[in-house]
Amino acid sequence: MIRFYNENDINGVIRLWEEAFGDSENEIRFFLDSCRKPLNTLVYEINGEIASMLFLLEGDMHFEGNDFPSYYLYAACTLKKYRGRGLMAELLNFAKETANKNRKCFICLKPAEKSLFDFYEKNGYKTVFTVKVAEYHAENSIIKDVPDNEINPESLRNAAYDGRNYFKWDRQSVEFAFLHNKFFGGNSFASCKGYSLYTSVDAKTTVKETTFTDVDFVLNSISENRETTEIIFPPWIDTEGEIKPWAMITAVNDESKKIVDLIDNAYLGLTLD
């Protein structure tokens, strides 16, 4: 049975999340306490057990200067013992029906691994979001961090991507991305000119999202000194790098179906992974 989340589901959701993604209970509760909304959380219950689930987060698809109300589909997963039964396909269909009832135009998602692109394509999703991945030798930081409360990251993000096609988060969601990144051990740099969100593991720093277009400035905005720095840019940035498929979209109604075929090289960016 597919239904919306209720507060009695919390333990089942945590067990499923732990098995699917390997996060700790504290990490899971951090997301649930911040982003969970009962009517945006779908669960597939079998014999009283949460067998499969997904979350629908609010956002807009910004296309050719217009904002189209949309969902970002997050943390879709199924217990191992129930996989291969088509539960997720049913959930995806229910999610689309829910989006249509709530007057959304699109649902976007980022497959957790390459093999899942084919699965989502079979369920009506199209790859339209790409990124440009570039690798550089890291340099010492010469810029001091600015407290997050002195900037509006939503405005910085929208100003940086103005005139492009991208998934548009509201201020609460962008600020949550900063908190989420920090909670999982990442760092951020923010100034009145832009921001960088990044993580460092061993000898490598990965800039997950930046609103800067100048590579030297991005490198100088990170505080870690690592052997290499990988920067994930929007696809339109004029720098050398490899264009990679990143995320997918599906239309919710007949009008938005006409638009999907026109979207190309769009940018999703923040994915909370």
Side-chain angles (χ1 to χ4, degrees):
M1 176 180 69
I2 297 177
R3 58 174 175 79
F4 294 102
Y5 173 96
N6 65 61
E7 293 303 322
N8 295 324
D9 296 326
I10 184 67
N11 291 329
V13 165
I14 290 174
R15 282 196 299 271
L16 172 52
W17 191 307
E18 286 176 329
E19 182 189 274
F21 305 117
D23 295 329
S24 69
E25 181 172 337
N26 285 340
E27 292 168 338
I28 299 167
R29 287 186 180 275
F30 174 72
F31 169 81
L32 296 178
D33 291 342
S34 303
C35 295
R36 180 191 66 230
K37 296 180 181 178
L39 294 181
N40 283 12
T41 305
L42 306 182
V43 299
Y44 200 124
E45 181 184 356
I46 298 179
N47 297 325
E49 185 174 34
I50 304 302
S52 189
M53 68 178 183
L54 57 82
F55 298 84
L56 299 172
L57 307 182
E58 302 275 351
D60 292 305
M61 182 63 209
H62 187 78
F63 176 70
E64 294 191 349
N66 297 302
D67 291 341
F68 297 89
S70 303
Y71 282 134
Y72 172 61
L73 192 150
Y74 184 66
C77 55
T78 302
L79 285 173
K80 292 178 182 178
K81 65 181 179 181
Y82 292 113
R83 292 175 188 174
R85 301 188 187 184
L87 272 61
M88 184 53 65
E90 291 185 49
L91 266 180
L92 292 174
N93 187 59
F94 193 90
K96 189 176 292 188
E97 293 174 0
T98 299
N100 192 31
K101 289 179 182 177
N102 292 334
R103 298 185 178 182
K104 306 298 182 184
C105 298
F106 303 101
I107 300 177
C108 304
L109 59 82
K110 180 180 180 296
E113 50 192 63
K114 289 182 179 180
S115 62
L116 290 175
F117 277 86
D118 290 340
F119 169 77
Y120 286 113
E121 185 176 359
K122 291 177 182 177
N123 284 277
Y125 284 79
K126 178 183 178 183
T127 302
V128 300
F129 298 98
T130 60
V131 294
K132 181 176 287 187
V133 180
E135 193 167 281
Y136 303 89
H137 291 291
E139 298 179 2
N140 292 321
S141 173
I142 60 173
I143 301 174
K144 298 293 185 181
D145 282 2
V146 175
D148 291 348
N149 60 8
E150 294 188 13
I151 63 152
N152 180 341
E154 177 205 13
S155 296
L156 292 173
R157 192 173 194 268
N158 292 337
Y161 307 150
D162 184 45
R164 307 289 183 171
N165 301 325
Y166 70 102
F167 193 83
K168 188 175 182 180
W169 297 98
D170 61 18
R171 179 167 182 169
Q172 181 180 0
S173 298
V174 179
E175 290 179 345
F176 174 75
F178 274 72
L179 293 174
H180 182 276
N181 188 60
K182 183 177 180 180
F183 187 86
F184 282 85
N187 294 285
S188 65
F189 167 83
S191 74
C192 61
K193 295 182 179 180
Y195 66 76
S196 294
L197 288 178
Y198 59 96
T199 58
S200 295
V201 178
D202 297 328
K204 184 176 183 179
T205 292
T206 300
V207 180
K208 300 164 63 177
E209 175 164 285
T210 183
T211 59
F212 300 117
T213 58
D214 186 289
V215 173
D216 289 335
F217 199 95
V218 178
L219 292 174
N220 287 333
S221 72
I222 61 178
S223 59
E224 277 78 1
N225 185 16
R226 295 294 190 268
E227 293 179 6
T228 59
T229 297
E230 180 182 80
I231 304 175
I232 300 174
F233 283 113
W236 55 77
I237 297 297
D238 185 18
T239 187
E240 292 185 4
E242 180 183 359
I243 297 292
K244 293 185 177 182
W246 192 248
M248 310 179 80
I249 194 171
T250 191
V252 169
N253 54 51
D254 290 338
E255 288 302 311
S256 53
K257 286 179 182 177
K258 300 175 184 177
I259 298 174
V260 164
D261 291 335
L262 302 176
I263 302 175
D264 187 31
N265 259 10
Y267 178 64
L268 177 64
L270 303 174
T271 57
L272 307 185
D273 56 0

